[in-house]
Amino acid sequence: MLGSTGNRRNFRAPTRAPIEEVGNESMKTYWSICRGPLLAVVVLFFALVVPQTAFAEGFDLQQFSPMPNQADNLFTTASAEVPEHLGWSAMAMFNYGHNPLILRNDEGERVQSLVANHGTAHLLFSVGLLDLLELGIDVPLVVLQQGTAAEGLAINPDQGGFGIGDLRLVPKVQLYSNRQDYGDQGVALALLADFRLPTGSSEVLQGGDFRAGPTLAFDAIFGPDIRVATNLGYLYRSARQVENLQVGGTVGWNVGVEVPVIDDLHATAEFFGRFTPGADELRSNESPTEFAAGAKYRFDHFFLSAGGGLGLVGGYGTPDWRAFIGLGAAAPRTEPEPIAPEPEPEPEPEPEPEPECTPATVIEDCGEAPEPVCEDNVLTTYTMACEDGECVTRTTETRCAAGTECGEEDGRAACVPLPDCVEDGDCDNPPAPTCDDGVLTTYAGVCIDEECHYEPTETVCGEDEECGLRAGQPACVERTDLVEIDEERERIEINEVVHFAVNSDEIEGRSYELLRQVATVLNDNPHITRIRVEGHTDSSGSRDYNITLSERRAQSVVNFLVERGVEEDRLRAVGLGPDEPIADNATPQGRDENRRVEFHIEERD
């Protein structure tokens, strides 16, 4: 590291193999910069000399330099466009680099990551002047820097926290363009100046020295809004050396392409890097090169940018990978005034024709109106009129009202009332059937003189049938003496007990007829959509055992009903064990009554 006297102090990391010769043979230290994704920016060194004191040596680690006007440029590659007069853009962009500064040994292997994580927030703004010039500014704020100090180095990457980098001013002037309006196909050429003001701190790799230089920007637009741009420039800075790393004036280059994907969405890809002209040899650690790709999406006056990239040549400040995202806004561009066509000469006025009719004599002059027409339930009527001395036919369309249809009245097309029926099948609104005292009465429609008549038919229920409901309608249904629906209590009452084998969920055969009638009632009454089948036991034995036994018995009943046509999703089995007795468990009769199955109506249509 250089001191105030100009002598070189040798440095060797005590536990690391040296990587690259620096000065005499006893000192070797190696810099290499990780490969990084997206947008690379120029590496900056800082050296401030104070008379009679030592000065700090370092450089600006941030190599990602977005163009201030992200609305009209690529990410780091300048186009040759300039905004219209007082057209502006602003954006906040965050970019992150992973492993942007590492130490390597002689074999090129990584020894130590001096900076592992680095994030910068760029506050970007630009404004156009006189449709020829653009002024841009980039305020970089370092918001994340995590690193590890290396013994013997003057820089302290681990000391870097939040701080401002070197303020960047970028004026641009358009030199040539053969485009009529913004975005037209053609080529353009512009000249930029890049000024870096030493507002950052070099000791923590956040800038700190003045740099300036020109850049020539060329771009071409062709095809469906495809832009190809290239930059070549020189950035002057006073020479700096930190151990074996030398940085001075550099030549920067950019090549990028932007293509439309869909409306308001463009994809961008860039290659960019720097090298030191006039150097004794071209060294990779002093020639950072990156590739970046991403997209921009516009909505109204706002636009969103996002992307990432990789380091191609591991120069200083080139991370392994980089990612960035930004949100901005821009003033809308003024649409060009359309060119008005030459007015055509007005033709000579033609003499007004003689009128063929007058309002007072329209009937005599224009004759009778056409007959009305009725089609697709729309009645069209016609009347004659005289307008500007000419006979015209006025048309009125009227849709036939509800209960009417196209027909004839007095020999003319008209909307006429609909007949009740034309055939028996049209009479489809019979009274609901009734069933009283074992007699089922149904009704059939008959069309007589275009009127519906509904004739009753009586059917006596069979010996094994009775009046009931089927699918919610009165009907003769199978007689179910053991089962009935109690609508008031919302239950299906059974007149017998469901018998099971002792300590088992097996239903005894003597209960089959009872449960068959339960299934018949449920199938005949689909408006009952949910039944809770409850199993109950007496208090004999443990409660846990009885709960399990009652659940199994309730499920056995559900399975029996499903096998006889009841939909499974209408049934829910619940085991309540001894928790809800209806009689005294201290007596045999009470225990018999407590061992039961109940059917409760939970839901109905």
Side-chain angles (χ1 to χ4, degrees), residues 270-568:
E270 297 179 325
F271 291 89
F272 51 91
R274 289 190 171 276
F275 63 90
T276 302
D280 294 338
E281 59 178 326
L282 190 63
R283 301 165 61 183
S284 62
N285 69 337
E286 295 173 1
S287 305
T289 305
E290 293 189 40
F291 166 75
K296 294 181 183 178
Y297 177 70
R298 289 181 177 271
F299 46 100
D300 293 332
H301 305 322
F302 298 92
F303 56 95
L304 177 68
S305 295
L310 300 170
L312 301 180
V313 177
Y316 55 86
T318 304
D320 286 338
W321 57 268
R322 188 188 302 280
F324 59 90
I325 187 169
L327 177 64
R333 283 187 171 269
T334 304
E335 294 294 332
E337 292 274 346
I339 300 175
E342 290 289 334
E344 296 183 0
E346 296 185 3
E348 292 291 331
E350 296 182 0
E352 294 186 3
E354 292 291 330
E356 62 182 58
C357 66
T358 66
T361 61
V362 64
I363 297 178
E364 295 82 357
D365 296 336
C366 300
E368 294 185 1
E371 291 291 322
V373 176
C374 195
E375 293 180 353
D376 297 329
N377 225 33
V378 175
L379 177 65
T380 305
T381 57
Y382 305 93
T383 57
M384 303 305 297
C386 186
E387 296 179 359
D388 298 329
E390 295 183 356
C391 291
V392 296
T393 303
R394 293 176 178 169
T395 303
T396 302
E397 292 185 348
T398 305
R399 180 168 291 279
C400 293
T404 65
E405 65 177 358
C406 283
E408 287 190 0
E409 188 174 32
D410 298 331
R412 293 167 60 89
C415 292
V416 298
L418 283 169
D420 282 350
C421 60
V422 177
E423 56 185 20
D424 292 347
D426 296 335
C427 301
D428 55 359
N429 190 28
T434 60
C435 194
D436 296 306
D437 298 328
V439 177
L440 174 65
T441 303
T442 59
Y443 299 88
V446 179
C447 184
I448 304 175
D449 296 333
E450 296 186 342
E451 290 186 1
C452 285
H453 300 268
Y454 296 96
E455 298 179 352
T457 300
E458 293 184 348
T459 304
V460 178
C461 296
E463 292 183 0
D464 296 331
E465 295 180 326
E466 62 181 354
C467 284
L469 295 176
R470 179 176 290 116
Q473 294 290 327
C476 290
V477 299
E478 181 182 350
R479 192 181 300 277
T480 53
D481 300 330
L482 302 177
V483 180
E484 63 179 342
I485 299 174
D486 189 338
E487 298 284 357
E488 184 175 345
R489 296 179 63 195
E490 295 189 337
R491 294 174 56 151
I492 296 178
E493 297 292 353
I494 56 177
N495 297 331
E496 292 182 359
V497 174
V498 180
H499 295 280
F500 297 90
V502 177
N503 290 329
S504 172
D505 58 2
E506 181 182 352
I507 302 172
E508 294 186 352
R510 54 178 166 164
S511 294
Y512 286 179
E513 176 60 23
L514 170 64
L515 293 179
R516 187 192 63 77
Q517 291 189 19
V518 172
T520 298
V521 169
L522 291 178
N523 289 329
D524 288 343
N525 293 271
H527 68 285
I528 301 175
T529 58
R530 189 74 167 173
I531 297 294
R532 183 175 71 253
V533 181
E534 292 183 356
H536 298 267
T537 66
D538 58 24
S539 60
S540 301
S542 70
R543 179 180 179 278
D544 290 344
Y545 175 80
N546 286 328
I547 289 289
T548 302
L549 179 61
S550 63
E551 287 178 351
R552 289 163 44 208
R553 287 178 171 178
Q555 187 61 47
S556 293
V557 172
V558 167
N559 295 341
F560 185 95
L561 297 177
V562 170
E563 290 175 358
R564 279 149 185 84
V566 181
E567 294 90 340
E568 187 173 0

